[in-house]
C-alpha cells in the first residue's frame, strides 16, 4: 500500500518509454520488503516521500525544495549538493535529500562488481535512487541525510577506491567520449587525457579556488560525442593534419551499393541508391572533393575535417596519421551575458602521453593563471574573454595570433594599439603641435 | 534504525581520511575485446536499430546493444542491468553520454538474442525497462535535468516532460528513418544545465513573473551586491524599506526590466519566483554541436511559452511532434533540423510547422540582438 496517493504521477506509468515513476515505486516496494534485512540508514520510505512531494509539485506546478543547502565532507569544498524539502512534516523521508557526486570512470565503462558495491553502499546509506549519470558525467547518488555523508565518503574511498566529483567554483568533473576504446575516428586517447588531467588537477577539483566553475571535456574527433564545444570551458577536440586516407576499392563498393552509407544510419527509410556526388561530394563544406573516373579525389589542403565524408563512408575513408587535438575555450550556458560555444584557441597540439601531456598542461595553467587573476566573481572564462578580448586570452596562453582564431576579421575600426607599438609613443607636446597648427 | 559506522571516526575526522584519489581508471573496466583492440578499430556498422558492430584491424568484432533508460534510476534497476551484464556480457557494461546503456558482446547472434530479451522486459505499469534503439538517424535519449525531483530553481519538471516526450516520439527511438539524428534536450530553468542551447529540439522551463521580495529576511540571508550583480538586465538595485516601523536593507526590482531569469534567486533565497500559473516551457530548435558539414550552432526560441500541464504536457508534446514530423517529411538526407530551417528560411519554418510568430521571438538582449534581425531584402512571402 503506497504511502501517498499519486494520481498524477500514476499517469506516467503508461506509455512505452521507461517510467521513472514505476522504477521509484519498485524501489519503494523493495525497501519495504527489505529481503536483505538491511538496517537502512535513511528513512525506509524515502522513495515514497519523494513521490509524495513530486505529486504535490505536479498538483501546484511549483518546486518543493528549499533554496540551496551547504553540506559536504571535511577536506573538500564541494562534491555534495545539499537539499531540504520545504514540507518536512508532510514528507519526513526527504527532509534531507542531498545529492552525492561520485567520480565516474572515463567513457563510463563499468564492471558489475564495482557497480554492485556502489549500489550496496547507496542502498544502506541513501535513498536507493540515482542518476546514471549527471550531465557533467558524475554518478549521481540522489538523496541522503547529512550524517551519512562522511560515512558514504569513507566507504567510497576505503572500499571502492573511488572519489567524489566536483561542485562549486572549481574544476568540475571532466568527461570524455569513449575515444579509442570503441571508435575508429578517435584522433587521440581522449579517455587517457581526461583521466590524466583529472588526476593532475585533483586539488583544483575538490577545493574551489576559481572565480567560478570551470569544465573540461574531451572529444576524440569533431563529431563531438561528449559535446565539449558547447558544454566545457575548455574543450579538447581531436583532429589531424595530413591527408584523409582513401581506399578507392572500398569507395567503389559504396558506389556499387555493396556497403550501406553512413554505416546504415538511415536504413529505416528508402533514400534511393547511394549517390556519391549528391551525398558526399556536393555536401563537402569546402568543396574539396570530386569523383572522377570512378575515383574519389580530395584536395586535402582545403579540407576542414568536418568528418562528413568519413562519417558517410567509414570503411573507405580514414582519419589522417598526424594526429592531435584542437583546444577551444569559453563555452557556457546563457547566464549571465548569453550562451557561448568554445572559440578556437589552439588549432593543433599533440597529445603526448610519453611527456605526460605537458604541453597541454602548460596551456591550461597559463589560462588559469590569467583567469584566476582577471576573472570577476562568478564570471565564466567565456565572459572574461568577452570583457578583456580574445587577444588577451591568446596572449596569456602564449599563443600567437592566427587567422584560424577568427571566423572573420573585425568590421569596426575601433582598434587598440599599445603605446610601445606606435612610433614616437603617446607622450606628445601640445605646444609643438600648436607650432604646426594654430588654434 | 540503528546507526551503522563505516569506520569513520567523527571525533578524529582527519584520521585515516583518503582524499584526491579521483575516479577509477577506465582500463579496469573494459571488456576483453575492447581492451585488446583499443585504438585499433577499423570501421563500424549499424546492423539494425540499437545494434552496432565494430570491426578491429585484428578482425575481431564487438557487437553493441544500446537501450534507453530513464537516467533517474533505482538501485534495483542498476542491479538488474548488472544481472543482464553478468549473464550476457561477462560482467561489463557502459553508459553513453546521453544516458543510454550499452552492452558489448562478441557474437552477433548473442547480441540479437540480447536485443530480444531487453525488449521483452517491462515495468509493472507496462513501460519498457530497456527499449533497444537510439542509433543512427533517429531520436535518441533526452539529455535532461533535475526538475521538481531535486532542484530549487526549476520552472517545470524534467523527468515528467522527458517521459511524455519520449512516449510521443518513441517510434523514432526504435527506428532510423529521419534525415539525420535529432537530439532533444531538456532543462528546467534557463541555467540550461545540459544541452538545451545546442540541440535540434529543446524543452526549457521559463518563468513569467518577477520575484517576490522577502524584505524582512533578505539582508540576513543574502549578500545584496551579489544579487544586484546577478541580474543580466540591471533590474535589481539595493534599497531600504520600512515595515512596521523597522528599516530593512533590501533590494528593489524594476519589474519592467526583469525578464524572469531567476538568477537573482540563485544568489539570494529571499527572491523566490516560481509560480504555478506563470511558469511553463519555451521550445527551442535548430542547435547542434557536431562540426559535420555546417558549424555548431545554438538552438533558437520558436515557441516562447506553453503552459505546464502535468502530468502529460499535451500542448508541449503536440508542438514537438509536429516539428519533428514536418522536418522528417521535408529535410534532405544528412540535413540537421537547424540546417533545414536555415535553408528554407525561418519564415517558411514557422509556416510549415504551423507555429505562431510573436514579438517574444525577436531578440532584444544587448548589441548582438541586431545581428539576428534581417538586414537584407531577401525573404519569402
Amino acid at each position: 500500500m503506497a504511502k501517498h496517493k499519486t494520481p498524477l504521477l500514476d499517469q506516467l506509468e503508461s506509455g512505452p518509454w521507461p517510467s521513472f515513476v514505476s522504477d521509484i515505486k519498485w524501489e519503494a516496494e523493495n525497501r519495504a520488503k527489505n529481503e536483505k534485512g538491511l538496517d537502512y540508514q535513511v528513512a525506509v520510505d524515502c522513495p515514497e516521500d519523494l513521490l509524495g512531494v513530486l505529486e504535490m509539485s505536479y498538483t501546484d506546478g511549483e518546486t518543493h525544495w528549499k533554496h540551496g543547502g551547504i553540506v559536504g565532507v571535511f577536506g573538500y569544498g564541494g562534491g555534495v549538493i545539499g537539499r531540504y524539502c520545504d514540507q518536512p512534516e508532510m514528507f519526513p523521508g526527504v527532509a534531507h535529500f542531498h545529492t552525492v557526486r561520485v567520480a565516474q570512470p572515463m567513457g563510463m565503462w563499468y564492471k558489475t562488481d564495482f557497480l554492485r558495491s556502489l549500489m550496496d553502499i547507496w542502498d544502506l546509506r541513501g535513498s536507493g535512487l540515482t542518476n546514471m549519470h549527471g550531465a557533467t558525467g558524475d554518478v549521481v547518488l540522489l538523496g541522503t541525510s547529512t550524517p551519512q555523508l562522511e560515512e558514504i565518503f569513507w566507504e567510497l574511498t576505503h572500499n571502492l577506491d573511488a572519489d567524489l566529483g566536483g561542485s562549486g567554483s572549481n574544476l568540475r568533473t571532466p568527461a570524455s567520449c569513449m575515444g579509442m576504446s570503441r571508435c575508429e575516428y578517435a584522433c587521440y586517447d581522449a579517455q587517457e587525457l581526461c583521466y590524466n588531467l583529472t588526476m593532475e588537477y585533483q586539488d583544483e577539483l575538490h577545493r574551489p579556488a576559481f572565480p567560478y566553475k570551470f569544465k573540461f571535456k574531451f572529444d576524440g574527433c569533431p563529431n563531438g560525442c561528449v559535446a565539449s564545444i558547447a558544454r566545457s570551458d575548455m574543450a579538447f577536440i581531436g583532429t589531424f593534419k595530413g591527408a584523409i586516407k582513401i581506399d578507392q576499392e572500398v569507395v567503389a563498393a559504396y558506389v556499387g551499393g555493396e556497403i550501406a552509407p553512413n554505416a546504415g544510419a538511415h536504413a529505416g527509410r528508402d533514400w534511393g541508391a547511394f549517390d556519391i556526388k549528391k551525398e558526399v561530394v556536393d555536401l563537402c563544406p569546402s568543396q574539396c572533393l570530386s569523383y572522377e573516373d570512378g575515383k574519389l579525389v580530395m584536395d586535402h589542403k582545403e579540407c576542414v575535417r568536418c568528418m562528413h565524408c568519413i562519417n558517410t563512408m567509414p570503411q573507405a575513408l580514414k582519419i589522417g596519421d598526424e594526429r592531435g587535438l584542437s583546444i577551444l575555450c569559453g563555452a557556457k550556458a546563457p547566464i549571465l551575458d548569453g550562451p557561448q560555444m568554445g572559440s578556437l584557441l589552439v588549432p593543433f597540439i599533440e597529445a603526448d602521453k610519453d611527456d605526460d601531456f605537458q604541453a597541454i598542461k602548460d596551456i591550461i595553467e597559463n589560462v588559469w593563471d590569467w583567469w584566476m587573476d582577471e576573472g570577476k566573481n562568478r564570471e565564466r572564462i567565456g565572459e572574461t574573454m568577452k570583457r578583456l578580448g580574445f587577444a588577451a586570452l591568446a596572449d596569456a596562453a602564449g599563443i600567437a595570433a592566427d587567422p584560424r582564431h577568427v571566423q572573420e576579421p573585425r568590421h569596426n575600426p575601433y582598434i587598440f594599439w599599445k603605446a610601445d607599438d606606435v612610433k614616437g609613443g603617446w607622450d606628445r607636446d601640445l605646444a609643438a603641435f600648436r607650432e604646426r597648427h594654430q588654434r | 534504525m540503528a546507526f551503522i559506522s563505516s569506520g569513520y571516526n567523527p571525533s578524529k575526522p582527519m584520521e585515516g581520511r583518503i582524499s584526491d584519489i579521483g575516479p577509477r581508471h577506465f582500463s579496469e573496466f573494459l571488456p576483453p575485446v575492447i581492451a585488446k583492440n583499443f585504438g585499433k578499430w577499423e570501421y563500424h556498422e549499424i546492423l539494425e536499430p540499437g545494434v552496432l558492430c565494430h570491426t578491429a584491424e585484428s578482425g575481431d568484432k564487438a557487437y553493441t546493444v544500446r537501450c534507453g533508460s530513464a537516467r533517474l534510476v533505482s538501485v534495483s534497476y542498476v542491479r538488474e542491468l548488472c544481472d543482464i551484464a553478468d549473464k550476457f556480457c561477462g560482467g561489463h557494461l557502459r553508459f553513453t553520454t546521453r544516458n543510454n546503456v550499452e552492452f558489448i558482446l562478441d557474437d552477433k547472434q548473442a547480441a540479437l538474442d540480447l536485443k530480444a530479451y531487453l525488449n521483452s522486459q517491462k515495468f509493472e505499469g507496462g513501460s519498457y525497462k530497456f527499449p533497444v534503439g537510439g542509433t543512427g538517424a533517429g531520436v535518441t535519449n533526452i539529455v535532461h535535468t533535475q526538475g521538481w525531483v531535486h532542484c530549487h530553481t526549476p520552472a517545470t519538471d524534467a523527468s515528467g516532460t522527458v517521459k511524455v516526450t519520449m512516449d510521443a516520439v518513441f517510434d523514432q527511438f526504435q527506428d532510423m528513418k529521419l534525415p539525420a539524428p535529432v537530439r532533444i534536450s531538456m532543462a528546467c530553468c534557463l541555467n540550461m544545465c545540459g544541452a538545451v542551447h545546442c540541440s535540434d529540439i529543446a524543452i526549457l522551463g521559463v518563468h513569467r513573473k518577477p520575484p517576490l521580495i522577502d524584505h524582512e529576511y533578505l539582508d540576513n540571508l543574502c549578500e545584496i551586491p551579489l544579487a544586484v550583480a546577478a541580474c543580466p538586465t540591471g533590474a535589481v538595485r539595493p534599497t531600504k524599506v520600512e515595515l512596521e516601523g523597522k528599516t530593512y536593507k533590501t533590494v528593489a526590482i524594476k519589474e519592467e526590466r526583469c525578464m524572469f531569469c531567476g538568477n537573482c534567486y540563485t544568489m539570494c533565497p529571499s527572491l523566490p519566483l516560481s509560480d504555478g500559473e506563470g511558469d511553463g516551457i519555451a521550445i527551442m530548435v535548430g542547435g547542434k554541436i557536431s562540426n559535420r558539414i555546417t558549424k555548431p550552432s545554438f538552438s533558437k526560441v520558436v515557441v516562447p511559452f506553453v503552459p505546464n500541464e502535468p502530468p502529460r504536457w499535451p500542448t508541449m508534446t503536440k508542438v514537438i511532434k509536429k516539428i519533428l514530423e514536418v522536418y522528417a517529411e521535408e529535410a534532405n538526407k544528412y540535413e540537421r533540423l537547424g540546417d533545414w530551417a536555415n535553408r528554407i528560411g525561418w519564415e517558411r519554418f514557422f509556416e510549415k510547422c504551423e507555429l505562431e510568430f510573436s514579438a517574444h521571438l525577436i531578440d532584444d538582449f544587448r548589441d548582438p540582438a541586431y545581428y539576428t534581425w534581417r538586414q537584407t531584402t531577401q525573404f519569402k512571402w
Side-chain angles (χ1 to χ4, degrees):
Chain A
M1 184 65 190
K3 186 176 171 189
H4 307 283
K5 284 212 165 71
T6 55
L8 296 175
L9 291 175
D10 293 350
Q11 296 176 50
L12 291 174
E13 292 202 82
S14 59
W17 187 251
S19 168
F20 70 98
V21 176
S22 298
D23 192 5
I24 297 173
K25 286 185 178 181
W26 183 32
E27 188 59 33
E29 274 172 38
N30 286 342
R31 281 173 80 91
K33 277 189 237 157
N34 192 12
E35 280 173 357
K36 289 184 183 171
L38 295 179
D39 196 350
Y40 288 115
Q41 297 293 290
V42 303
V44 178
D45 57 6
C46 179
E48 301 219 48
D49 275 352
L50 180 69
L51 287 174
V53 74
L54 189 59
E55 177 76 13
M56 193 179 193
S57 285
Y58 271 53
T59 305
D60 60 24
E62 294 170 3
T63 187
H64 283 288
W65 303 103
K66 289 186 187 181
H67 182 282
I70 301 173
V71 292
V73 298
F74 284 114
Y76 288 178
V80 186
I81 316 303
R83 198 66 78 214
Y84 302 91
C85 183
D86 72 5
Q87 298 292 350
E89 293 83 12
M90 233 182 290
F91 307 107
V94 292
H96 289 215
F97 199 65
H98 311 322
T99 278
V100 181
R101 291 184 179 163
V102 179
Q104 85 290 359
M106 306 321 170
M108 294 184 275
W109 291 99
Y110 292 100
K111 275 183 80 174
T112 51
D113 56 355
F114 176 83
L115 271 184
R116 286 184 196 281
S117 306
L118 184 60
M119 293 304 119
D120 286 346
I121 295 171
W122 192 236
D123 207 0
L124 178 68
R125 302 189 178 280
S127 67
L129 303 175
T130 75
N131 288 156
M132 300 296 281
H133 295 68
T136 301
D138 308 272
V139 174
V140 170
L141 303 178
L142 193 65
T144 191
S145 65
T146 308
Q148 286 303 310
L149 296 176
E150 289 288 4
E151 308 299 328
I152 291 163
F153 182 61
W154 183 276
E155 290 211 39
L156 280 178
T157 52
H158 287 77
N159 306 336
L160 271 190
D161 194 19
D163 206 338
L164 296 186
S167 69
S169 290
N170 56 8
L171 175 65
R172 298 293 185 84
T173 307
S176 75
C177 70
M178 65 161 69
M180 290 179 161
S181 61
R182 204 199 59 202
C183 182
E184 67 270 24
Y185 304 153
C187 301
Y188 71 101
D189 190 344
Q191 294 174 103
E192 188 60 42
L193 179 60
C194 184
Y195 179 79
N196 185 294
L197 296 184
T198 303
M199 298 309 288
E200 177 80 24
Y201 300 119
Q202 280 288 294
D203 188 30
E204 286 78 2
L205 191 153
H206 292 301
R207 296 165 199 91
F210 290 165
Y212 202 6
K213 67 178 89 166
F214 195 99
K215 298 185 184 183
F216 287 156
K217 278 189 164 56
F218 303 83
D219 274 310
C221 83
N223 281 325
C225 290
V226 75
S228 65
I229 200 168
R231 297 167 65 180
S232 60
D233 299 84
M234 204 175 246
F236 303 83
I237 304 179
T239 193
F240 50 91
K241 293 180 170 176
I244 286 176
K245 291 179 281 188
I246 303 175
D247 183 331
Q248 299 293 353
E249 277 180 34
V250 186
V251 171
Y254 276 100
V255 173
E258 293 160 44
I259 308 172
N262 214 122
H266 297 76
R269 177 156 151 191
D270 182 6
W271 292 92
F274 177 62
D275 180 339
I276 193 169
K277 181 167 185 311
K278 190 172 143 201
E279 297 186 36
V280 181
V281 172
D282 290 351
L283 292 180
C284 171
S286 46
Q287 298 288 293
C288 68
L289 278 169
S290 59
Y291 186 69
E292 296 152 11
D293 305 326
K295 273 199 152 181
L296 186 68
V297 180
M298 177 178 274
D299 181 357
H300 295 289
K301 201 161 177 289
E302 300 307 310
C303 170
V304 294
R305 302 167 315 287
C306 83
M307 299 298 290
H308 175 64
C309 59
I310 297 176
N311 286 339
T312 309
M313 299 189 289
Q315 298 195 41
L317 274 61
K318 309 282 176 190
I319 57 172
D321 284 331
E322 194 186 338
R323 297 171 190 173
L325 55 91
S326 304
I327 302 178
L328 293 88
C329 203
K332 58 178 281 288
I335 298 288
L336 205 57
D337 65 358
Q340 292 186 48
M341 301 250 190
S343 297
L344 182 67
L345 174 65
V346 182
F348 186 86
I349 189 166
E350 276 179 40
D352 185 358
K353 191 185 176 187
D354 294 337
D355 191 32
D356 200 29
F357 307 110
Q358 195 53 50
I360 292 171
K361 289 174 184 171
D362 288 346
I363 289 168
I364 292 168
E365 288 166 26
N366 285 343
V367 167
W368 278 351
D369 283 347
W370 175 74
W371 179 57
M372 288 172 77
D373 275 349
E374 300 287 347
K376 291 188 187 179
N377 183 40
R378 282 176 64 86
E379 183 181 62
R380 293 288 284 267
I381 194 169
E383 291 166 332
T384 312
M385 289 158 60
K386 277 170 85 171
R387 185 166 55 83
L388 299 179
F390 182 88
L393 169 76
D395 188 45
I399 310 289
D402 183 315
R404 295 169 191 86
H405 281 148
V406 295
Q407 197 57 48
E408 60 184 26
R410 67 193 307 156
H411 56 252
N412 66 67
Y414 304 159
I415 303 166
F416 290 97
W417 292 93
K418 292 196 175 92
D420 289 352
D421 295 338
V422 184
K423 191 178 177 191
W426 289 353
D427 283 333
R428 290 194 284 164
D429 180 12
L430 180 64
F433 181 83
R434 285 292 165 224
E435 279 174 24
R436 305 193 297 277
H437 306 284
Q438 293 181 26
R439 196 169 280 121
Chain B
M1 72 188 97
F3 179 77
I4 301 173
S5 171
S6 61
Y8 167 67
N9 180 357
S11 61
K12 292 182 178 170
M14 301 314 279
E15 196 175 87
R17 176 168 299 264
I18 296 173
S19 71
D20 300 274
I21 56 174
R24 293 275 286 267
H25 194 271
F26 58 90
S27 61
E28 297 178 53
F29 301 127
L30 299 178
V33 64
I34 298 293
K36 181 187 163 198
N37 298 290
F38 191 92
K40 294 173 191 155
W41 296 100
E42 192 66 27
Y43 64 92
H44 75 285
E45 301 151 278
I46 305 173
L47 301 181
E48 50 183 84
V51 184
L52 305 160
C53 172
H54 286 77
T55 301
E57 289 165 11
S58 65
D60 287 353
K61 289 184 185 287
Y63 297 88
T64 299
V65 182
R66 179 179 297 168
C67 67
S69 105
R71 189 182 87 110
L72 166 51
V73 295
S74 70
V75 164
S76 302
Y77 183 91
V78 175
R79 285 182 177 139
E80 195 156 314
L81 290 174
C82 290
D83 291 343
I84 295 165
D86 283 341
K87 188 171 163 198
F88 290 87
C89 311
H92 297 270
L93 74 161
R94 70 174 293 268
F95 293 79
T96 72
T97 56
R98 299 190 73 87
N99 311 308
N100 292 312
V101 185
E102 288 185 344
F103 299 98
I104 315 289
L105 303 92
D106 42 24
D107 177 79
K108 184 176 172 184
Q109 192 51 50
L112 298 179
D113 292 347
L114 175 57
K115 176 174 173 175
Y117 174 79
L118 291 170
N119 276 335
S120 71
Q121 299 299 301
K122 293 197 169 181
F123 283 109
E124 217 165 277
S127 65
Y128 287 97
K129 265 187 181 170
F130 317 108
V132 175
T135 54
V139 173
T140 183
N141 211 338
I142 300 183
V143 167
H144 65 276
T145 55
Q146 296 293 22
W148 295 328
V149 167
H150 195 263
C151 191
H152 58 151
T153 67
T156 187
D157 186 42
S159 304
T161 54
V162 163
K163 160 72 176 156
V164 298
T165 303
M166 285 309 293
D167 281 346
V169 302
F170 186 71
D171 56 329
Q172 305 288 6
F173 179 81
Q174 294 207 309
D175 210 336
M176 307 187 291
K177 55 189 176 189
L178 295 174
V182 170
R183 306 294 191 218
I184 308 179
S185 298
M186 191 283 153
C188 43
C189 81
L190 73 187
N191 277 329
M192 290 195 187
C193 300
V196 155
H197 62 308
C198 55
S199 297
D200 296 278
I201 300 177
I203 303 164
L204 175 67
V206 291
H207 305 286
R208 293 185 304 162
K209 297 185 185 182
L212 299 156
I213 307 175
D214 198 349
H215 293 299
E216 271 181 85
Y217 288 83
L218 192 141
D219 189 34
N220 288 326
L221 293 176
C222 312
E223 286 282 354
I224 288 175
L226 294 185
V228 171
C231 183
T233 57
V236 183
R237 64 182 163 83
T239 191
K240 286 180 182 162
V241 299
E242 247 182 61
L243 291 174
E244 292 167 6
K246 276 183 82 177
T247 305
Y248 295 94
K249 279 203 257 179
T250 182
V251 298
I253 295 177
K254 202 174 256 189
E255 293 194 338
E256 68 276 17
R257 288 184 73 163
C258 173
M259 44 68 184
F260 333 111
C261 74
N263 197 39
C264 58
Y265 178 59
T266 298
M267 297 310 292
C268 171
S270 299
L271 297 170
L273 78 162
S274 70
D275 187 277
E277 293 165 334
D279 296 349
I281 282 163
I283 293 174
M284 306 174 74
V285 307
K288 71 189 266 273
I289 50 91
S290 95
N291 292 273
R292 186 175 187 172
I293 306 174
T294 54
K295 289 173 291 187
S297 62
F298 292 119
S299 339
K300 294 104 181 131
V301 184
V302 294
V303 179
F305 185 78
V306 290
N308 275 327
E309 298 168 319
R312 296 207 66 99
W313 281 267
T315 310
M316 176 195 77
T317 52
K318 197 175 153 208
V319 172
I320 291 171
K321 249 190 117 153
K322 175 76 182 174
I323 294 171
L324 193 61
E325 276 167 11
V326 178
Y327 159 75
E329 183 68 30
E330 305 251 337
N332 294 333
K333 194 177 180 186
Y334 305 109
E335 200 168 45
R336 294 287 290 262
L337 202 152
D339 296 329
W340 165 66
N342 283 332
R343 175 170 60 81
I344 64 172
W346 286 91
E347 64 270 45
R348 196 61 83 228
F349 171 85
F350 278 90
E351 180 188 298
K352 284 179 184 290
C353 294
E354 294 169 19
L355 296 173
E356 187 192 343
F357 190 88
S358 73
H360 299 107
L361 303 175
I362 304 176
D363 196 356
D364 53 10
F365 185 64
R366 300 189 188 168
D367 264 19
Y370 163 80
Y371 299 99
T372 67
W373 308 337
R374 193 174 299 227
Q375 290 92 24
T376 173
T377 57
Q378 295 181 15
F379 58 85
K380 295 178 182 175
W381 297 111

